[in-house]
């Protein structure tokens, strides 16, 4: 049941890795990102497509560039992750009571 959630978290982690690299090296192309991140080209391309659809990056003639939404995401990320951890801890405590 939790396998899909774990897989989604790993995917989000990769997207965040890509967005951080774009912010640091912008404008940057897919091939350079794949090299920097040591990830396969197709995975970087997929992450860029998702990030563009969500409005965190945009394509430019010179490569991907971050939008203001990317900065907002990175600033609030710790708080949002803490909220998710809190939800998981509640599940964990409830399970411990019922075991």
């Amino acid at each position: 049941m939790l396998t899909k959630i774990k897989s989604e978290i790993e995917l989000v982690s990769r997207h965040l890795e890509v967005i951080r690299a774009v912010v640091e090296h912008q404008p940057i192309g897919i091939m350079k990102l794949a090299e920097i991140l040591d990830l396969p080209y197709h995975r970087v391309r997929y992450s860029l497509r998702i990030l563009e659809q969500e409005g965190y990056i945009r394509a430019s003639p010179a490569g991907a560039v971050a939008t203001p939404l990317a900065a907002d995401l990175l600033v609030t990320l710790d708080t949002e992750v803490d909220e998710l951890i809190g939800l998981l801890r509640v599940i964990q405590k409830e399970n411990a009571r019922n075991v």
Side-chain angles (χ1 to χ4, degrees), residues 2-99:
L2 298 178
T3 304
K4 179 145 178 65
I5 293 171
K6 182 181 178 190
S7 175
E8 287 296 320
I9 290 170
E10 290 168 348
L11 184 58
V12 167
S13 178
R14 187 179 80 223
H15 294 338
L16 290 168
E17 185 179 11
V18 169
I19 203 166
R20 285 186 196 104
V22 169
V23 167
E24 185 177 342
H25 301 283
Q26 64 186 321
I28 187 166
I30 296 172
M31 296 304 284
K32 186 66 176 174
L33 268 173
E35 179 184 318
I36 288 170
L37 298 173
D38 194 29
L39 289 171
Y41 171 86
H42 68 279
R43 291 195 177 171
V44 172
R45 184 180 65 224
Y46 177 74
S47 289
L48 288 172
R49 184 174 58 215
I50 296 301
L51 293 168
E52 185 175 16
Q53 286 173 356
E54 295 293 322
Y56 295 116
I57 64 164
R58 66 175 176 78
S60 79
V65 293
T67 68
L69 278 178
D72 293 344
L73 171 69
L74 295 174
V75 166
T76 63
L77 185 61
D78 284 346
T79 301
E80 292 186 40
V81 169
D82 285 342
E83 289 175 16
L84 294 171
I85 291 169
L87 291 171
L88 290 170
R89 286 198 174 123
V90 167
I91 292 170
Q92 188 177 42
K93 285 178 186 177
E94 289 174 359
N95 188 58
R97 280 189 228 141
N98 295 318
V99 174

